[in-house]
Amino acid sequence: MSNIASSANADTAGHVQKNTFRGRGIAIALLVAVCGGGVTWLAAKARERLVALPKLRTVAMERRDLRITIATTGTVEPQEVVEIGALVAGRIVGLAVDPDHPTKLIDVGTKVARDSVVLQLDSQTYQVALQKAQAARTLAGAEIQRLATQLQQTAREFDRAQRLRATNSESDFDRIFTAHEMAKAELAVTQAKFTQTENEIAQAEIDLARTTIRSPIDGVVIDRRANLGQNVGPGNTGGGLFLLAQDLNHMQVRASVSETDIGNIYVDQPVTFTVDAHRDQVLSGRVEKIMLNAHVQGNFVTYDVLVRVDGTTEMLLPHMTADVQFETVKRENAFLVPSESLQWWPGDGQAEQVPGSEVPTADDRQEQPPAAGDDAFVWVPTGNGKVRAVAVRVGVDDGVQTEIMGEGFETAMPVVVGTIKETVLARIIPSVRTLN
């Protein structure tokens, strides 16, 4: 009996021990399951947070020269233009011959020398006027001789009357005295007329010479308004008979600058321009002179600025329209970012802590766009939708890109300019995005 009892106690103890081990296994399994579920839950939450971060829209930082300019339009013109007109009235009876083409008359493009004849007016009327003036002078000279002889006669009679005054009556003396004085006066009048006829001859010679029109400079004809048989005069030449340019190899640009920009224009300022005829070539020059004769149209005021073109200008023709740019600022080899990148700010939890630096807070954000000389931040993506701040000093801007100065810049380094938001349509068509 004792053996049976011992055996039963042993079986009971073994069964209890087995149940204890089994309970511990179940507890461990439950603990492992709970821990695994917690890790899975945390990982899922982390993925949700990453997915919740918006996708970033970035633009690569550039390093190049930055030029800020004032754009306007102008007109190409010779540095010196001379207008030739008629100083006397008459009919055109002759035009000069082109020295380079003897069979052709002078025309646009013809080179003329100083004092060379370019046009001849009918001179018959002026030749007759000169002959009449010369005849009047001859007549006045003869009259002077007659009156001089008459004056000598009256002088002798007056001298005799003075010697015989005691025996002659007063009336006879007065008559002789008056005749002598009148003779002197008539001689003086005739001498004045003689001088006048000489002046008339000089004027007639000038008018006759003016019927032959000559070039006042060495130049090139850029416009001709004269034709054979045309009647011209000082008051009806219609802006001149010829327009001469002294040198077409050295041109200038007359640009029109508004009153809001004229304060940024100065003498010797660098200028670039193009013309429609040669769009692929950029020409350069410098400001020569700022004209003070303002052009006023209503409330709009402009000033003419003369630009001296560098080098020869054989490709340019007078009156071409030029698109002109006055250089106000130039930065060489500058780091440039889009201006909007200086105004973007990350959302909550999007900024990443960088060792050795502090994350900017909302208090560091500027309400207004930063100006030149201000401190600001640009944001660089670090992956998974997060960004890090890069402190910069703001420089000049051209309205699209802004110069930045600081440390840690790299060419083509991406900077954040906004985010990409999905719309309801984007959930259906993944390629559709809304830029922010």
Side-chain angles (χ1 to χ4, degrees):
M1 288 294 292
S2 59
N3 292 334
I4 295 173
S6 299
S7 177
N9 292 334
D11 292 340
T12 302
H15 181 73
V16 171
Q17 187 175 9
K18 288 180 181 179
N19 289 338
T20 301
F21 289 151
R22 183 179 301 167
R24 290 177 179 175
I26 292 172
I28 293 171
L30 290 174
L31 180 60
V32 170
V34 170
C35 292
V39 171
T40 302
W41 182 82
L42 291 175
K45 287 297 182 181
R47 284 194 300 270
E48 288 178 3
R49 284 196 298 269
L50 290 177
V51 171
L53 293 177
K55 295 183 179 180
L56 303 175
R57 183 162 58 95
T58 62
V59 175
M61 182 183 298
E62 296 184 42
R63 189 169 192 180
R64 60 176 177 82
D65 294 344
L66 174 65
R67 292 177 66 248
I68 300 178
T69 60
I70 296 173
T72 185
T73 58
T75 304
V76 177
E77 60 182 29
Q79 292 184 355
E80 183 176 351
V81 178
V82 176
E83 187 178 78
I84 300 178
L87 297 177
V88 294
R91 181 172 55 88
I92 298 176
V93 295
L95 292 172
V97 175
D98 189 334
D100 296 329
H101 303 86
T103 59
K104 296 182 179 180
L105 298 177
I106 186 174
D107 207 343
V108 175
T110 300
K111 294 182 179 180
V112 295
R114 182 184 180 92
D115 291 330
S116 62
V117 177
V118 296
L119 184 146
Q120 180 64 53
L121 299 179
D122 186 0
S123 62
Q124 291 182 356
T125 302
Y126 300 98
Q127 288 176 349
V128 172
L130 176 59
Q131 292 172 359
K132 289 175 64 176
Q134 290 172 341
R137 183 182 62 178
T138 302
L139 182 60
E143 185 68 9
I144 287 175
Q145 292 180 355
R146 184 183 71 81
L147 292 176
T149 302
Q150 180 179 332
L151 179 61
Q152 292 174 358
Q153 177 64 30
T154 58
R156 288 192 296 268
E157 291 178 355
F158 178 67
D159 184 62
R160 187 183 306 112
Q162 283 183 321
R163 291 196 306 269
L164 301 175
R165 186 172 184 177
T167 60
N168 293 334
S169 62
E170 283 296 323
S171 61
D172 290 339
F173 179 82
D174 291 341
R175 177 179 55 78
I176 295 172
F177 174 75
T178 302
H180 177 63
E181 293 297 321
M182 290 183 61
K184 288 195 295 183
E186 289 178 356
L187 179 59
V189 169
T190 305
Q191 288 175 337
K193 288 183 178 179
F194 182 83
T195 302
Q196 183 179 5
T197 57
E198 287 186 328
N199 293 335
E200 291 174 351
I201 290 173
Q203 183 62 53
E205 289 175 344
I206 292 174
D207 291 343
L208 180 61
R210 286 176 173 174
T211 60
T212 301
I213 299 177
R214 301 177 181 272
S215 172
I217 62 171
D218 295 325
V220 180
V221 178
I222 61 175
D223 193 12
R224 191 194 93 176
R225 308 185 185 101
N227 295 291
L228 290 174
Q230 180 180 347
N231 290 316
V232 297
N236 61 353
T237 56
L241 301 174
F242 290 95
L243 204 60
L244 302 183
Q246 188 173 29
D247 188 2
L248 292 181
N249 291 328
H250 296 87
M251 307 283 272
Q252 66 183 10
V253 177
R254 183 180 294 270
S256 179
V257 180
S258 67
E259 61 177 331
T260 56
D261 295 325
I262 196 65
N264 295 319
I265 306 299
Y266 55 90
V267 175
D268 210 35
Q269 183 176 11
V271 180
T272 58
F273 69 95
T274 59
V275 294
D276 291 338
H278 307 281
R279 273 291 175 188
D280 56 336
Q281 299 190 35
V282 179
L283 303 175
S284 62
R286 291 188 175 272
V287 174
E288 178 78 14
K289 185 182 297 184
I290 300 173
M291 311 300 288
L292 301 180
N293 56 330
H295 301 282
V296 182
Q297 294 182 352
N299 294 328
F300 192 63
V301 181
T302 60
Y303 295 86
D304 286 348
V305 177
L306 300 182
V307 178
R308 180 183 67 255
V309 181
D310 295 337
T312 58
T313 56
E314 296 178 354
M315 60 187 293
L316 299 178
L317 298 177
H319 308 301
M320 281 184 169
T321 300
D323 294 325
V324 185
Q325 291 188 335
F326 295 90
E327 183 179 288
T328 57
V329 177
K330 184 176 182 179
R331 296 286 190 269
E332 296 183 352
N333 205 25
F335 283 101
L336 305 176
V337 296
S339 300
E340 56 186 318
S341 67
L342 296 169
Q343 303 177 45
W344 185 83
W345 202 263
D348 294 339
Q350 197 171 5
E352 187 175 78
Q353 176 71 43
V354 178
S357 63
E358 296 182 359
V359 177
T361 63
D363 295 336
D364 298 319
R365 185 176 186 180
Q366 298 181 2
E367 296 295 333
Q368 300 295 328
D374 291 348
D375 293 325
F377 295 94
V378 293
W379 298 87
V380 178
T382 59
N384 295 327
K386 288 184 172 294
V387 294
R388 64 179 177 88
V390 178
V392 299
R393 175 64 60 86
V394 179
V396 297
D397 72 274
D398 61 359
V400 178
Q401 290 187 306
T402 301
E403 174 195 22
I404 58 172
M405 296 161 283
E407 298 179 354
F409 301 157
E410 297 178 2
T411 304
M413 182 173 72
V415 294
V416 180
V417 297
T419 57
I420 302 175
K421 293 183 178 179
E422 288 188 350
T423 62
V424 175
L425 181 62
R427 298 190 184 102
I428 303 173
I429 306 176
S431 62
V432 176
R433 295 289 185 271
T434 298
L435 301 182
N436 181 30

